[in-house]
C-alpha cells in the first residue's frame, strides 16, 4: 500500500512538472526561445513529456533580464 501512495505521488509530481513546462513554454516571449520555434518545443514536450520538459527548462529559453 505504501508503494502505491509513493507511485501516485511521483506520477502527480511529474504531471505537475510537465504541465508547468508546457505553460511556461507557451507564455515565453518568442525572443527568449532558443534553438527551435516555440511550436516545435511544444510538440517535443507533448511527444516526450518528461524529457522534453527537462530539456526545455535547462536549454530551451534564454534567461530573463536581471532585476
Amino acid at each position: 500500500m505504501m508503494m502505491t501512495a509513493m507511485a501516485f505521488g511521483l506520477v502527480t509530481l511529474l504531471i505537475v512538472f510537465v504541465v508547468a513546462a508546457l505553460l511556461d513554454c507557451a507564455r515565453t516571449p518568442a525572443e527568449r526561445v532558443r534553438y527551435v520555434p516555440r511550436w516545435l518545443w511544444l510538440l517535443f514536450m507533448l511527444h516526450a513529456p518528461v524529457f522534453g520538459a527537462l530539456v526545455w527548462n535547462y536549454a530551451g529559453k534564454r534567461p530573463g533580464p536581471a532585476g
Side-chain angles (χ1 to χ4, degrees):
M1 190 60 115
M2 180 70 160
M3 198 64 157
T4 304
M6 288 175 56
F8 180 75
L10 181 61
V11 168
T12 303
L13 284 174
L14 287 174
I15 290 171
V16 167
F17 177 65
V18 169
V19 169
L22 284 166
L23 290 173
D24 183 45
C25 180
R27 293 177 177 171
T28 299
E31 60 272 0
R32 286 189 57 208
V33 177
R34 285 188 185 170
Y35 305 119
V36 295
R38 182 182 312 138
W39 66 268
L40 201 55
W41 276 112
L42 291 169
L43 189 65
F44 181 56
M45 283 191 270
L46 290 173
H47 180 69
V50 176
F51 183 68
L54 284 170
V55 174
W56 166 255
N57 280 309
Y58 288 110
K61 60 183 173 179
R62 291 180 176 83

